[in-house]
Amino acid sequence: MFEQIVDNAKKKTKENISGIEDDKVTAHSRPYHYHTSEEAGGSGESDQDYHDGPWVLTFDNFLSSKECDILISLGDQLGRTRSLAGDKYSSSRTSSHVWCTESCDLHPTVREIIQRISKVTGVPEVNFEHIQLLKYEEGQFYKTHHDYISEHRNMPEGVRILTMFFYLNDVEDGGGTRFRKLDDLTFTPRKGMALLWPSVLDENPHSIDQRTSHEAMPVLKGKKYAANLWLHIRDFRSVFDKGCM
């Protein structure tokens, strides 16, 4: 899947990436693989321009500015509350959030975004959780954690296999996303940018990939608006709709 996304991005056609003009896909981490500069129009000498590890991609403009503003507005209208770390409040996570369910999930802009993600990843929409709309005030953070939840292994929807994370505004200072086990690979919030990474191992998609633990660094100045979307290995929506969570 990840290789296909990157290969399609090289074609630089709107149909093959997110559908947003001027989008750019970059692999900042990927399993060890050499490409030749000849493939990029060079002399053919081997080169490596990414971290050797699990896949971590960025999409520079996955969301339009208008889409970001709409998601922020939906979060404001629904009303965010203190975020949980797992199933409880914790000093390790101080942000606020709200789930985009029911009428929010049916909003035309949300529907377009969900369909775009499904097209890019190849994962059916029924495997998606609902979008989580986040807000970090100055000084707020989420310490190092992992999106994989082991209890999901014995549930109908199975484990989370992918995380897609969206920055909905430019943060004045701080608020980056850092992967400590990937040599402190860090991303600065930029409006419209999306990150995509796996929670599981390629060779065993039911087992956690510990290397993709990550943290939301403290917002030093201003506010940070963002959104999470987790994709499961099996149908999540039917289970949710039946109240079996």
Side-chain angles (χ1 to χ4, degrees), residues 72-90:
I72 292 172
S73 178
L74 287 171
D76 290 343
Q77 293 170 36
L78 291 169
R80 304 175 190 82
T81 58
R82 172 73 183 275
S83 296
L84 299 176
D87 59 357
K88 61 184 178 181
Y89 295 113
S90 170

Side-chain angles (χ1 to χ4, degrees), residues 159-245:
V159 297
R160 292 171 171 172
I161 57 171
L162 296 170
T163 294
M164 201 151 195
F165 187 83
F166 307 93
Y167 298 111
L168 305 183
N169 71 316
D170 296 320
V171 180
E172 291 184 63
D173 192 10
T177 304
R178 177 163 60 188
F179 294 79
R180 289 187 177 273
K181 294 184 178 181
L182 300 180
D183 295 335
D184 281 343
L185 180 63
T186 303
F187 299 95
T188 300
R190 190 166 67 248
K191 186 175 185 178
M193 186 169 80
L195 308 181
L196 178 66
W197 68 83
S199 292
V200 295
L201 297 167
D202 280 348
E203 62 273 19
N204 187 352
H206 296 278
S207 296
I208 187 172
D209 189 337
Q210 297 284 0
R211 298 170 297 176
T212 53
S213 59
H214 53 282
E215 67 175 309
M217 300 169 70
V219 174
L220 302 178
K221 186 178 181 181
K223 297 178 182 180
K224 171 185 171 183
Y225 292 94
N228 275 318
L229 181 63
W230 292 295
L231 285 63
H232 284 256
I233 197 167
R234 295 190 292 272
D235 183 345
F236 172 90
R237 291 297 181 101
S238 296
V239 176
F240 180 88
D241 291 343
K242 292 176 181 177
C244 300
M245 304 302 297

Side-chain angles (χ1 to χ4, degrees), residues 30-225:
R30 62 181 293 175
Y32 184 76
H33 168 74
Y34 274 103
H35 75 273
T36 66
S37 55
E38 185 176 26
E39 291 173 339
S43 62
E45 295 180 1
S46 293
D47 187 24
Q48 187 179 4
D49 56 2
Y50 41 79
H51 180 87
D52 176 23
W55 286 97
V56 180
L57 304 184
T58 56
F59 300 75
D60 281 1
N61 297 290
F62 194 91
L63 301 180
S64 68
S65 179
K66 182 179 180 180
E67 287 173 332
C68 290
D69 293 343
I70 289 172
L71 290 180
I72 292 172
S73 178
L74 287 171
D76 290 343
Q77 293 170 36
L78 291 169
R80 304 175 190 82
T81 58
R82 172 73 183 275
S83 296
L84 299 176
D87 59 357
K88 61 184 178 181
Y89 295 113
S90 170
S91 60
S92 67
R93 188 183 192 188
T94 58
S95 60
S96 60
H97 78 264
V98 66
W99 293 98
C100 182
T101 59
E102 299 178 346
S103 62
C104 177
D105 186 54
L106 296 175
H107 190 284
T109 296
V110 173
R111 288 287 91 217
E112 289 178 13
I113 293 169
I114 291 294
Q115 290 165 13
R116 188 182 310 149
I117 296 166
S118 181
K119 181 178 180 181
V120 168
T121 63
V123 178
E125 295 178 32
V126 293
N127 291 28
F128 292 15
E129 292 190 26
H130 297 92
I131 293 176
Q132 186 184 69
L133 302 170
L134 297 156
K135 181 180 181 181
Y136 289 80
E137 299 280 359
E138 201 165 291
Q140 293 186 334
F141 55 83
Y142 192 178
K143 292 184 178 180
T144 300
H145 62 284
H146 205 285
D147 295 335
Y148 182 96
I149 299 174
S150 59
E151 288 80 3
H152 286 168
R153 286 179 296 187
N154 299 317
M155 298 178 71
E157 70 274 18
V159 297
R160 292 171 171 172
I161 57 171
L162 296 170
T163 294
M164 201 151 195
F165 187 83
F166 307 93
Y167 298 111
L168 305 183
N169 71 316
D170 296 320
V171 180
E172 291 184 63
D173 192 10
T177 304
R178 177 163 60 188
F179 294 79
R180 289 187 177 273
K181 294 184 178 181
L182 300 180
D183 295 335
D184 281 343
L185 180 63
T186 303
F187 299 95
T188 300
R190 190 166 67 248
K191 186 175 185 178
M193 186 169 80
L195 308 181
L196 178 66
W197 68 83
S199 292
V200 295
L201 297 167
D202 280 348
E203 62 273 19
N204 187 352
H206 296 278
S207 296
I208 187 172
D209 189 337
Q210 297 284 0
R211 298 170 297 176
T212 53
S213 59
H214 53 282
E215 67 175 309
M217 300 169 70
V219 174
L220 302 178
K221 186 178 181 181
K223 297 178 182 180
K224 171 185 171 183
Y225 292 94

